[in-house]
Structure formats: structure tokens, C-alpha cells
Amino acid sequence: MRVITLNANGIRAAARKGLYPWLARQRADFVCLQETRAQEYQLADRCFRPRPFHCFYHDAEKKGYSGVAIYSRHRPDRVVHGLGWPGFDAEGRWLEVQVGRLNIISLYLPSGTSSESRQQVKFEVLERLLPYLKSLRRKRREYIICGDWNMAHKPIDLKNWRSNQKNSGFLPEERAWLDRLFDEAGYVDGHRVADPRPEVYTWWSNRGRAWEKNVGWRIDYQIITPGLRERVRRARVYTARRFSDHAPLIMDYDWPLPDGRGC
Amino acid sequence: MRVITLNANGIRAAARKGLYPWLARQRADFVCLQETRAQEYQLADRCFRPRPFHCFYHDAEKKGYSGVAIYSRHRPDRVVHGLGWPGFDAEGRWLEVQVGRLNIISLYLPSGTSSESRQQVKFEVLERLLPYLKSLRRKRREYIICGDWNMAHKPIDLKNWRSNQKNSGFLPEERAWLDRLFDEAGYVDGHRVADPRPEVYTWWSNRGRAWEKNVGWRIDYQIITPGLRERVRRARVYTARRFSDHAPLIMDYDWPLPDGRGC
DNA sequence: CTTGTTATG
DNA sequence: CATACCAAG
């Protein structure tokens, strides 16, 4: 089973850069996108419903802003839009499909870089999210929470960790939250299970020559329940081409899915 | 003496398309630009003060909107910003330099295409402008009023005149105003003096394939006082390259200027 | 369709 | 710096 997550930074821009022909060659079972930055009526072009996937979008109410999507090769038993938290849901940040015992989520956590008030929003979401994620652990289900978490965990997860300790995305409070996600709630960073190497990032600022110099951050994850830890086969970040300021994180799992019947 | 007029549709965009290297090769004495769409503080780059010209800008108060400029090889005796009409002047639509007995003006008449209320503004400007232009005729001076007049005069001046008789830019009232400008106020369409050919246009819509099909309008003029009629040597529209949705109108006059000393 | 604006990341 | 938006032409 192959799961791809990508912050598209505008699904229409990513499409212009060849995302969809590339996707068609990846044999993915699930594709989780974040920052679609479009409302579904703006995605009338057929390319935005790639075959053979079942395609789901959860848009922000504000035009051109945020929004997540999931493409699922397998018809989901259920699709969940949002978490029932009004402000968060209005920003199109959580979409979930259930296929058998497995739940796949596309999550786009708020960025705190634009203002102090947005950092407060990010903290409020985190505060509410941890208990919710803990509560999921009581179910007899496995979860793969794909997304742009907008936080790097450890010094190995970004190029310049020293100079970023006061910047949103690598604040001590954010790193401590990720500690709790792993140590207390028991989740696992799927990518790290398969790939312990440094200097593997998923996002590079557009400013300066961050990409050319690999001045990046690893802020896109596939966070998994522990029952999937032993099933991680492979993780890689696709950097041969650029569709966005983020790179796709492609993960393969040993998981018995029904045969993929297209839509 | 060479005078060039061009609606630049954003002087910064025109610069990216090579306007300034091209200008340097034209040996112009005066360059009149319209729709600079910039405020002077945004034109810090030295390219926007091309040598050896004396450069003058008259910006709109609204950012990114309207604005006119004149580059004069000869140090003007006087530079006039606006006509003293508050609403009109706030939109940066009139700039005038005086060199000896000659006045050169860069004029950008309002467009009426965006709304009925803007068409009313255009009519109000026209109503006020004609008496003003008539009053200039009482002076012992010659005038070259360069600009985007946003009106075609006769069927020969646009490709599809029949279908445009109800469209702003070829309304009967606008055409009648131009009749009065010529017949009553005595001004002369300099371009037409030198070039009677049809299908010579200065503006092509960006929509459709207007440029490729030469579906254009002649709405940029050098309007001259009758004393200059016999001094028109040549008029041509430069279409070998595109700097804007308008093309430069280049005119040569027999006029005794002092030797051009650069700034 | 294109320019330049603005908000957001 | 890039992707959206919007106003204007």
C-alpha cells in the first residue's frame, strides 16, 4: 500500500507544474493534499478528479486559502469532513477516509509565521488536537495522519535549528507538543522509522536560494499508530521535480487492502 | 524632432519586456507614456530615469493605477502637472512640458469600459476638456498632445466598427466629440496627416487572439495644432515587438529644437 | 487576458 | 518569493 502526502501550495499551480501526470505514474493507494487553495467549483477541469481515484475535497470558506483533499483508490466506507470545531473546520484543515480498519487523514495545521495571533490559533489547535488524537488510540483502528504539521521536531529535522529556536515551527512549545504526540499518545513518525538520515527535508522557503542550498525543514509527516510501525516498508521524499515549495512524501506500507476498484 | 507616445500598461512590466533598451535606440526627443501604473517611489531602479532624458512623472494617488510620464531630451522651460481639476489630477492623467514655443503633453483619458459610472466620468472629462483645448488655441504656441485618448474616430480606425457602435470607445457621442476637436477647435490628427492607410491600429485587446488577427483600435494619437500640420514628416506604429497591449506611435516633425543637452 | 494590489504562507 | 485574490482596463 502506497500513501503520498504533499502540501501543493495551490493545487492549480501544482497542476500547471505537472503534478497530475506524475501522480498517475506513482501507483498510489491514497494521496493526501494540503493547501489546495481552491474551492471545488474552481476545480471543474477533469484533471482534478484523476482516475481511478475516489476524490474528496474539504475547502476553506475563504477563497484561495488552505483546504485539503484525499484521493483514494478504494471506495471509502466513510468520509469525514472536519472535526466539528467551527473555526478549524471553516479553514478546511481535516479530511478523513475510512477503508476497512484503516483511517487516512489529510491534515493541514495552521502556520504561525504570519502573525502572533495566528501562532495563538496554532497553539489552540494543538491543545485541542492532542486529546482528540489520544482518544483515537482507544479504537481498534489504525491511522495514518498525513499532512503539513508546520513543525519540525528535532535539530535533525531542519538545516538551521539554532537560529530557528525562536521561529514558529521550531518553538520549544511546538517541539514539546510533538514529544507528547509520540511519547504520551504513542504515535509514530512513519518517515523516521524508515529513514534516519539527516538533511532530508520536505519544505524549502521560496525566499533566498533555500532549495538550491537545501536549507529546508521536515514539517510534512505521515504520523501512524503503533500497529503500523512494523508495516512501514519504505519512505522517500521526491525531489527530482518541484510541484510546490513542499516535496511529496511517499510511503509504502505492508497493509492488506482490497483490490483497488476505480470509481 | 522625434516624438514617441505609448500606453505602457504598467511601466515595470514594459521594462521587463525590454522597453528601455529599445527606447535608447530610437533617438527620440520626447517620449510620452501613459498608464505607468506605478508611483515614483516604486521606480527607484535607474532604468526608469533613462539618459540623456529629463524625466517627469505624474502619478495617480491610487497605487498601481493610471499615471503619465514624459522624457524630454531638452530641459523644459516649464513642467505642468495636471490641469487643476481635482478628481482628474488625482488620477494622474495630464503632464505637460514646455520647450521654447512648443508644448508636449502626455494625456491618458479615462476608459469607460469598466462601468457606466466610469463612462460618465469620461464624458465629464471630455465636456471640460474641449473648451480647455480651444482656449489653448488662443496662445501663440504649438501643441503636441500625445496620449491614449481611449476613442477611435472613424470606421477606418478600428477593425469591427459596426459591432462596436454601442461600446465605449466608439460611441456616437465620443466620435462627435472628436469631430468637434478637429472641426471646431481646429486640432489635427498628426498620424492621419502622414498615413491614410486602414488597418493601422495602436491597441489590441488581450482577450481572444486580437493581436494575431490584427483586431485592433487606433486610440493613441498625437493631436497637433494646425501650425504643425505641414511639419509632420512621418508617422509609424512600431509593432515588431510588444511592450504592452498598445504599440508605440513614433512621429517625426520638422521643428527647430535647440541641441539636446542631456541631464 | 494582463497589470498591479493585497493577504497569506 | 510564490499562490492565491481583487480591481481595472
Side-chain angles (χ1 to χ4, degrees):
Chain A
M1 175 181 76
R2 178 165 294 173
V3 181
I4 299 178
T5 186
L6 169 65
N7 177 317
N9 191 23
I11 203 176
R12 288 167 288 179
R16 285 195 297 273
K17 296 170 190 161
L19 174 63
Y20 287 97
W22 176 81
L23 258 189
R25 284 182 263 110
Q26 303 314 307
R27 318 175 104 270
D29 293 287
F30 299 97
V31 179
C32 295
L33 300 173
Q34 301 87 37
E35 267 203 289
T36 51
R37 300 181 67 171
Q39 288 172 341
E40 221 168 329
Y41 78 92
Q42 298 168 307
L43 306 178
D45 191 300
R46 297 294 295 273
C47 82
F48 297 111
R49 313 212 76 93
R51 315 197 76 201
F53 295 104
H54 303 266
C55 300
F56 308 97
Y57 289 93
H58 186 223
D59 303 337
E61 288 171 5
K62 188 199 287 197
K63 285 186 79 172
Y65 181 71
S66 189
V68 290
I70 299 181
Y71 303 153
S72 171
R73 184 176 297 274
H74 314 273
R75 179 185 297 283
D77 304 314
R78 220 181 132 204
V79 180
V80 182
H81 291 253
L83 288 173
W85 308 346
F88 180 80
D89 290 354
E91 291 189 345
R93 296 184 176 278
W94 179 283
L95 183 60
E96 178 175 357
V97 298
Q98 307 185 359
V99 176
R101 268 190 62 233
L102 181 68
N103 288 36
I104 303 279
I105 290 147
S106 184
L107 167 65
Y108 176 41
L109 278 183
S111 165
T113 55
S114 56
S115 67
E116 189 47 49
S117 69
R118 287 305 294 175
Q119 182 63 40
Q120 284 314 314
V121 168
K122 184 176 183 179
F123 281 139
E124 286 159 25
V125 167
L126 291 179
E127 186 160 18
R128 210 159 168 186
L129 190 59
L130 191 63
Y132 179 72
L133 295 179
K134 279 186 188 175
S135 75
L136 298 181
R137 295 297 319 285
R138 292 196 289 269
K139 305 184 193 265
R140 309 172 19 263
R141 308 187 59 78
E142 302 299 339
Y143 286 84
I144 301 177
I145 311 172
C146 290
D148 176 356
W149 294 66
N150 261 320
M151 299 179 289
H153 186 206
K154 299 203 169 164
I156 193 180
D157 293 318
L158 69 168
K159 178 77 96 190
N160 300 314
W161 70 271
R162 264 180 223 281
S163 53
N164 277 301
Q165 292 174 106
K166 290 184 175 173
N167 291 143
S168 176
F170 200 60
L171 297 173
E173 302 92 314
E174 296 172 328
R175 300 178 58 194
W177 188 92
L178 287 169
D179 285 337
R180 294 179 67 197
L181 177 67
F182 300 132
D183 302 340
E184 194 176 298
Y187 284 89
V188 173
D189 178 347
H191 185 180
R192 270 288 172 252
V193 165
D195 182 358
R197 294 174 301 160
E199 307 216 330
V200 172
Y201 308 125
T202 63
W203 175 76
W204 300 261
S205 170
N206 275 320
R207 314 180 200 188
R209 277 191 273 283
W211 167 261
E212 290 88 322
K213 297 184 289 186
N214 195 30
V215 177
W217 297 50
R218 197 172 70 90
I219 58 178
D220 301 272
Y221 304 112
Q222 300 196 17
I223 299 296
I224 60 180
T225 38
L228 291 168
R229 176 196 283 271
E230 296 306 316
R231 295 172 174 274
V232 172
R233 282 288 92 92
R234 189 177 182 210
R236 75 214 129 98
V237 177
Y238 178 80
T239 53
R241 296 174 59 196
R242 290 200 89 186
F243 307 116
S244 154
D245 52 345
H246 296 245
L249 169 62
I250 308 169
M251 290 195 58
D252 294 339
Y253 300 87
D254 242 338
W255 182 263
L257 279 171
D259 274 1
R261 274 296 314 285
C263 54
Chain B
M1 176 181 75
R2 177 163 294 171
V3 181
I4 298 178
T5 186
L6 168 66
N7 176 317
N9 190 24
I11 203 177
R12 287 167 289 180
R16 286 194 297 272
K17 295 170 191 163
L19 173 62
Y20 288 96
W22 176 82
L23 259 190
R25 283 183 263 110
Q26 303 314 307
R27 317 176 103 269
D29 292 288
F30 299 96
V31 179
C32 295
L33 301 173
Q34 302 87 38
E35 268 204 286
T36 50
R37 299 180 69 172
Q39 289 172 340
E40 221 169 329
Y41 78 91
Q42 298 170 305
L43 305 177
D45 191 301
R46 297 295 294 272
C47 82
F48 298 110
R49 314 213 76 94
R51 314 198 76 199
F53 295 105
H54 303 265
C55 300
F56 308 96
Y57 289 95
H58 186 222
D59 302 336
E61 289 172 5
K62 188 199 287 197
K63 286 186 79 173
Y65 181 70
S66 189
V68 290
I70 300 182
Y71 303 151
S72 172
R73 183 177 298 274
H74 315 272
R75 180 184 296 283
D77 304 314
R78 218 181 133 204
V79 181
V80 182
H81 292 253
L83 287 172
W85 308 346
F88 181 80
D89 290 353
E91 293 189 344
R93 296 183 174 278
W94 179 283
L95 183 60
E96 179 176 358
V97 299
Q98 307 186 359
V99 176
R101 269 189 62 236
L102 182 67
N103 289 37
I104 303 280
I105 290 146
S106 184
L107 167 66
Y108 176 41
L109 277 182
S111 164
T113 55
S114 54
S115 68
E116 190 46 50
S117 69
R118 287 304 295 176
Q119 182 64 40
Q120 284 315 313
V121 169
K122 184 176 183 179
F123 281 139
E124 286 159 25
V125 167
L126 292 179
E127 187 161 17
R128 210 159 168 185
L129 190 60
L130 192 63
Y132 180 72
L133 295 179
K134 280 186 186 174
S135 74
L136 298 182
R137 296 297 318 287
R138 292 195 290 269
K139 305 186 193 262
R140 315 170 15 262
R141 310 187 58 78
E142 303 298 341
Y143 287 84
I144 302 177
I145 312 173
C146 290
D148 176 356
W149 293 68
N150 261 319
M151 299 178 290
H153 187 205
K154 300 201 169 165
I156 192 183
D157 294 318
L158 68 169
K159 179 76 99 190
N160 299 315
W161 71 270
R162 264 179 223 282
S163 55
N164 277 303
Q165 292 175 105
K166 290 185 176 171
N167 291 143
S168 177
F170 200 60
L171 297 172
E173 302 92 312
E174 296 172 328
R175 301 179 58 193
W177 188 92
L178 287 169
D179 285 336
R180 295 178 67 198
L181 177 67
F182 301 132
D183 303 339
E184 197 176 294
Y187 284 88
V188 173
D189 178 348
H191 184 180
R192 269 289 171 252
V193 166
D195 182 359
R197 295 173 301 162
E199 307 215 328
V200 172
Y201 307 125
T202 63
W203 173 76
W204 300 261
S205 170
N206 275 320
R207 312 176 204 193
R209 276 190 274 283
W211 168 261
E212 289 87 321
K213 297 184 291 186
N214 195 29
V215 177
W217 297 50
R218 198 172 68 90
I219 57 178
D220 301 271
Y221 305 112
Q222 299 196 17
I223 298 297
I224 60 180
T225 39
L228 291 168
R229 176 197 282 272
E230 296 306 316
R231 295 173 175 274
V232 171
R233 283 289 92 90
R234 188 177 183 210
R236 75 215 127 96
V237 177
Y238 178 79
T239 53
R241 295 174 57 196
R242 290 200 88 187
F243 307 116
S244 154
D245 51 346
H246 296 247
L249 169 61
I250 306 168
M251 290 195 58
D252 294 338
Y253 300 86
D254 244 338
W255 184 264
L257 278 173
D259 274 0
R261 272 296 314 285
C263 53

